[in-house]
Amino acid sequence: YDKGITVFPTPADDKLFFRFENFKINQADVSFLNTTGQIVFKQTTNTQNNSLEIPVVDLPEGFYLYSIKTNDTTYHGKFIKK
């Protein structure tokens, strides 16, 4: 997991939240990949209070990887959708 970012809840039901610590983020490119490497979600979104709220209700249950690209950094991690 990347330092500087908190992801919750995991497992997630309908929404997944990303909170950026100790720095200001205005916009981010968010991608989710399934276990076969297919991009199943991709969106450029504005942050609110250094946080992102991403709907995951339409994703099937399973294990996913996330990639969040900001101005100068890309964060990677994983989450579970239940």
Side-chain angles (χ1 to χ4, degrees), residues 4 6 16-17 20-23 31 36 40 55 58 70 75 78 82:
T6 304
L16 190 64
F17 297 89
F20 301 94
E21 310 289 340
N22 303 322
F23 49 91
S31 299
T36 62
V40 295
D58 293 332
T70 63
Y75 301 92
K78 58 188 174 183
K82 65 176 181 177

Side-chain angles (χ1 to χ4, degrees), residues 1-44:
Y1 293 99
D2 282 307
K3 292 182 179 180
I5 186 170
T6 304
V7 181
F8 62 94
T10 185
D13 275 327
D14 57 347
K15 294 178 185 174
L16 190 64
F17 297 89
F18 298 89
R19 180 178 303 134
F20 301 94
E21 310 289 340
N22 303 322
F23 49 91
K24 180 119 174 84
I25 302 296
N26 293 319
Q27 191 176 61
D29 296 322
V30 180
S31 299
F32 298 156
L33 287 78
N34 64 17
T35 55
T36 62
Q38 294 174 303
I39 296 174
V40 295
F41 178 88
K42 188 169 186 169
Q43 177 180 339
T44 299

Side-chain angles (χ1 to χ4, degrees), residues 1 7 10 63-66 76-80:
Y1 293 99
V7 181
T10 185
F63 176 83
Y64 293 89
L65 300 174
Y66 68 80
H76 299 281
K78 58 188 174 183
F79 70 94
I80 298 170

Side-chain angles (χ1 to χ4, degrees), residues 66-79:
Y66 68 80
S67 174
I68 299 178
K69 185 174 192 243
T70 63
N71 300 339
D72 55 358
T73 307
T74 301
Y75 301 92
H76 299 281
K78 58 188 174 183
F79 70 94

